[in-house]
Amino acid sequence: MQVQAERTTKKQAAEEYVQIDDAAWAPFPEAFSEGRITWRLLHVSPEMGSWTAIFACPAGSSFNPHIHTGPGEYLLTKGRMDVRGGREQGGDTAVAPGYGFESSGAYHDKTCFPVPSEFYMTFLGPLAFVRPDGSVIANVGWAEAQGAWDAFVSSRKAA
Amino acid sequence: MQVQAERTTKKQAAEEYVQIDDAAWAPFPEAFSEGRITWRLLHVSPEMGSWTAIFACPAGSSFNPHIHTGPGEYLLTKGRMDVRGGREQGGDTAVAPGYGFESSGAYHDKTCFPVPSEFYMTFLGPLAFVRPDGSVIANVGWAEAQGAWDAFVSSRKAA
Amino acid sequence: MQVQAERTTKKQAAEEYVQIDDAAWAPFPEAFSEGRITWRLLHVSPEMGSWTAIFACPAGSSFNPHIHTGPGEYLLTKGRMDVRGGREQGGDTAVAPGYGFESSGAYHDKTCFPVPSEFYMTFLGPLAFVRPDGSVIANVGWAEAQGAWDAFVSSRKAA
Amino acid sequence: MQVQAERTTKKQAAEEYVQIDDAAWAPFPEAFSEGRITWRLLHVSPEMGSWTAIFACPAGSSFNPHIHTGPGEYLLTKGRMDVRGGREQGGDTAVAPGYGFESSGAYHDKTCFPVPSEFYMTFLGPLAFVRPDGSVIANVGWAEAQGAWDAFVSSRKAA
């Protein structure tokens, strides 16, 4: 037997810092939301499959129905967010400052913002945007989020 | 301000043990595989969105095209497994005893077993079984895996 | 062979919501910090080994030297935070609103707050508080965080 | 406001394959075990803080007392393993082929192998080897495991 030679020693992942208010935010894709939500991608961990972003949601805006395939945690820093139908329908109504844990398998029929709101969220794994019959329109994970964000940055530079 | 009263103290998760050879294995769903693959679910972690299983794959069997939405790791304990087309097409050909890491985003066009094989695998997040155009047929994660396994156990008891 | 009978079907983890400003925050243990930092535990995931909290840090306060055994992500919502020595010493200086990713293995010699600050942070795995020679004083993970928080809540109820 | 320019697009993590029987295994550090256990490091994920290895344990060997700071899963492929005291003391006795889930916080007073055994294990976060009073001797995570493995490979090349 020989000693394995090829294994590459891996380094500690780099630390990162993002100044959240130093650049424009992107329009969140209208295929998955309504009401001119904007967002900023803050981090992706391709090795783990996790990603982190912050979202600004005008009054009346909403995200389309989706399933959290993995756990997600949010900090609502401004406004109000009705998740899983809001408190009146058995879900939660977050009022800033509020924290929420959305578990793997959580179905968000529609997430609505009755007043101008802002929230930060960490995701493990993709969001599965779904049709009324439960079939998957698209999985949106770290790669898709990064792709959308990079396309926005490129378009701004080109402009 | 009042002290929050409702928070429930959470316990350490229970340790688990499964004797792998003490019961029948289930047929793996034919919607996602060919050639009479059988499997046994070993563990699910709903809070994390991870799951673990062991698969027995007859000569000539294969899994349908899928994407690993999160990282997966396998130990091939018997036989041979061609992943991502096998070594001849730029993928890997595992020969027992072999270990593999499949990263978040890995696309497995077809995973084939030219000889009788067996492998153990841990998954973080769902497998997305996909059509040739990349659209998602179904996400198969801890909940779907558990549902399929429990249906098998129930059917055996009823028989 | 018999069909395994004992396996318990696991449920989706419960969603959670915490109204952050509805109750008092706890003093953060002085064994691990200086300057009267207070905090509120928001979530623990025992199955995954992750936990989430928010911290309020008066001007001049600091956390003692520690290593992030797993990845951590923060959102600085108020003030300023010097991590890994601050920008002047090769680390980062976060200014609200700022986001940071601290990788597994990140060593924080001293984390300082020159002005009144507040940050939210998610942790995977324990913080290892360490002596100057690198030896571990204590690992502080979800269980220790929960224990400290519950002790605070109990003491407030008793008072 | 300007568009952030510096963000680097991250790539999908590389897939990996290790032929387990193509090279020598390393002696596992005697500071943490007894009885000439050998091991092979198979994978580390620095970004996530996880690692994977396979261990060969002669009859009468054992691992020193440790705590799993994060969840760990094993597949016992050969022999027998007494964990958390073995079945007689309320723990588990694994007999190949056996699977086990060790949860975050699991304390393994002594893990013993009465017959020649082999097991594969995935770890999220470090093992904390501890003294009888519970104080931490050392955290052994992906970085320490990789360091020990690389030192072995270097020593073999030099020989």
Side-chain angles (χ1 to χ4, degrees):
Chain A
M1 283 199 300
Q2 298 193 326
V3 173
Q4 181 195 31
E6 311 82 3
R7 192 180 176 280
T8 308
T9 298
K10 293 184 186 171
K11 290 181 190 168
Q12 182 183 327
E15 285 96 359
E16 299 174 8
Y17 179 69
V18 178
Q19 190 58 46
I20 293 176
D21 56 354
D22 73 350
W25 293 23
F28 194 76
E30 294 193 10
F32 304 127
S33 64
E34 284 181 18
R36 300 185 176 278
I37 290 173
T38 58
W39 73 305
R40 181 165 182 168
L41 181 65
L42 298 173
H43 174 75
V44 299
S45 278
E47 197 177 64
M48 185 165 176
S50 64
W51 52 295
T52 304
I54 191 163
F55 303 85
C57 309
S61 64
S62 61
F63 288 100
N64 293 1
H66 58 274
I67 293 169
H68 288 259
T69 68
E73 298 177 84
Y74 64 82
L75 178 68
L76 183 73
T77 53
K78 196 177 95 178
R80 181 179 163 138
M81 174 163 62
D82 289 321
V83 292
R84 288 171 281 110
R87 206 173 293 156
E88 289 161 25
Q89 299 180 37
D92 282 314
T93 292
V95 181
Y99 163 86
F101 173 78
E102 295 299 318
S103 58
S104 173
Y107 173 61
H108 286 195
D109 187 16
K110 206 168 187 179
T111 305
C112 299
F113 303 88
V115 298
S117 305
E118 200 173 280
F119 73 100
Y120 163 93
M121 193 157 186
T122 50
F123 303 88
L124 180 57
L127 295 175
F129 284 90
V130 292
R131 297 183 189 88
D133 66 359
S135 63
V136 178
I137 300 168
N139 283 329
V140 176
W142 70 269
E144 293 77 13
Q146 179 177 257
W149 179 258
D150 286 354
F152 166 71
V153 174
S154 297
S155 70
R156 292 274 300 196
K157 284 186 189 164
Chain B
M1 282 198 299
Q2 298 195 326
V3 173
Q4 182 196 30
E6 312 82 2
R7 192 180 177 279
T8 308
T9 297
K10 293 184 186 173
K11 292 182 188 168
Q12 182 183 326
E15 285 96 358
E16 299 174 8
Y17 178 69
V18 179
Q19 190 57 47
I20 293 176
D21 56 354
D22 73 350
W25 294 24
F28 194 76
E30 293 193 10
F32 303 128
S33 65
E34 284 181 18
R36 300 182 175 277
I37 290 173
T38 58
W39 73 306
R40 181 165 182 167
L41 181 65
L42 298 173
H43 174 75
V44 299
S45 277
E47 197 177 64
M48 184 165 176
S50 65
W51 52 295
T52 304
I54 191 163
F55 303 87
C57 308
S61 65
S62 62
F63 288 100
N64 293 1
H66 59 273
I67 293 170
H68 287 259
T69 68
E73 299 178 83
Y74 64 81
L75 177 69
L76 183 73
T77 53
K78 194 177 97 176
R80 181 180 164 138
M81 174 163 62
D82 289 321
V83 292
R84 288 170 280 111
R87 207 173 291 156
E88 290 160 23
Q89 298 180 38
D92 282 314
T93 292
V95 181
Y99 164 86
F101 174 78
E102 297 299 318
S103 57
S104 173
Y107 173 61
H108 286 195
D109 187 15
K110 207 168 187 180
T111 305
C112 300
F113 303 88
V115 297
S117 305
E118 199 172 280
F119 73 100
Y120 163 93
M121 193 156 186
T122 50
F123 303 88
L124 180 57
L127 295 174
F129 284 89
V130 291
R131 298 184 187 87
D133 66 0
S135 63
V136 178
I137 300 168
N139 283 330
V140 176
W142 70 267
E144 292 78 12
Q146 179 175 259
W149 179 258
D150 285 355
F152 166 72
V153 174
S154 297
S155 70
R156 292 276 299 196
K157 283 186 189 164
Chain C
M1 285 200 297
Q2 297 194 326
V3 173
Q4 182 197 28
E6 311 81 2
R7 192 179 177 282
T8 309
T9 297
K10 293 184 186 172
K11 292 182 188 167
Q12 182 182 328
E15 285 97 358
E16 299 174 9
Y17 178 69
V18 178
Q19 189 58 45
I20 293 177
D21 56 354
D22 73 350
W25 293 24
F28 194 76
E30 294 192 10
F32 303 128
S33 65
E34 284 180 18
R36 300 183 176 277
I37 290 173
T38 57
W39 73 306
R40 182 165 181 166
L41 181 64
L42 298 172
H43 174 75
V44 299
S45 278
E47 197 176 64
M48 185 166 177
S50 64
W51 51 294
T52 304
I54 190 163
F55 303 86
C57 307
S61 64
S62 63
F63 288 100
N64 293 1
H66 59 273
I67 293 169
H68 288 258
T69 69
E73 299 179 81
Y74 64 81
L75 177 69
L76 184 72
T77 53
K78 194 176 97 179
R80 181 178 162 138
M81 174 163 63
D82 288 322
V83 293
R84 287 170 281 111
R87 208 173 290 156
E88 289 160 24
Q89 299 180 36
D92 282 314
T93 292
V95 181
Y99 163 87
F101 173 77
E102 296 299 319
S103 58
S104 173
Y107 173 60
H108 286 194
D109 187 15
K110 208 166 185 178
T111 306
C112 300
F113 302 88
V115 298
S117 305
E118 200 173 279
F119 73 99
Y120 163 93
M121 192 156 187
T122 51
F123 303 88
L124 180 57
L127 295 174
F129 284 90
V130 291
R131 298 184 187 87
D133 67 359
S135 64
V136 178
I137 300 167
N139 284 328
V140 176
W142 71 268
E144 292 79 12
Q146 179 176 257
W149 179 259
D150 285 355
F152 166 72
V153 174
S154 296
S155 70
R156 292 275 300 197
K157 284 186 188 164
Chain D
M1 285 200 298
Q2 297 194 326
V3 173
Q4 182 196 29
E6 312 82 1
R7 192 178 176 281
T8 308
T9 298
K10 293 185 185 171
K11 291 182 189 168
Q12 182 183 328
E15 285 97 358
E16 300 174 8
Y17 179 69
V18 178
Q19 189 59 45
I20 292 177
D21 56 353
D22 74 349
W25 293 23
F28 193 76
E30 294 193 9
F32 303 128
S33 64
E34 284 181 18
R36 301 184 176 277
I37 291 173
T38 57
W39 72 306
R40 182 166 183 168
L41 181 65
L42 298 172
H43 174 75
V44 299
S45 277
E47 197 176 65
M48 185 166 176
S50 64
W51 51 295
T52 305
I54 191 163
F55 303 86
C57 307
S61 64
S62 61
F63 287 100
N64 293 1
H66 59 273
I67 293 170
H68 288 259
T69 68
E73 298 178 83
Y74 64 81
L75 178 69
L76 183 73
T77 53
K78 194 177 97 179
R80 181 179 163 137
M81 175 163 61
D82 288 321
V83 293
R84 288 171 281 111
R87 206 173 292 157
E88 289 160 25
Q89 298 180 38
D92 282 314
T93 291
V95 181
Y99 164 86
F101 174 77
E102 296 299 319
S103 58
S104 174
Y107 173 61
H108 286 194
D109 187 15
K110 208 168 186 179
T111 306
C112 300
F113 302 88
V115 299
S117 305
E118 201 173 278
F119 72 100
Y120 163 93
M121 192 156 187
T122 51
F123 303 88
L124 180 57
L127 294 175
F129 284 90
V130 291
R131 298 184 188 87
D133 67 358
S135 63
V136 178
I137 300 167
N139 283 329
V140 176
W142 71 268
E144 293 78 12
Q146 180 176 256
W149 179 259
D150 285 355
F152 166 72
V153 173
S154 297
S155 70
R156 291 275 301 198
K157 285 185 187 164

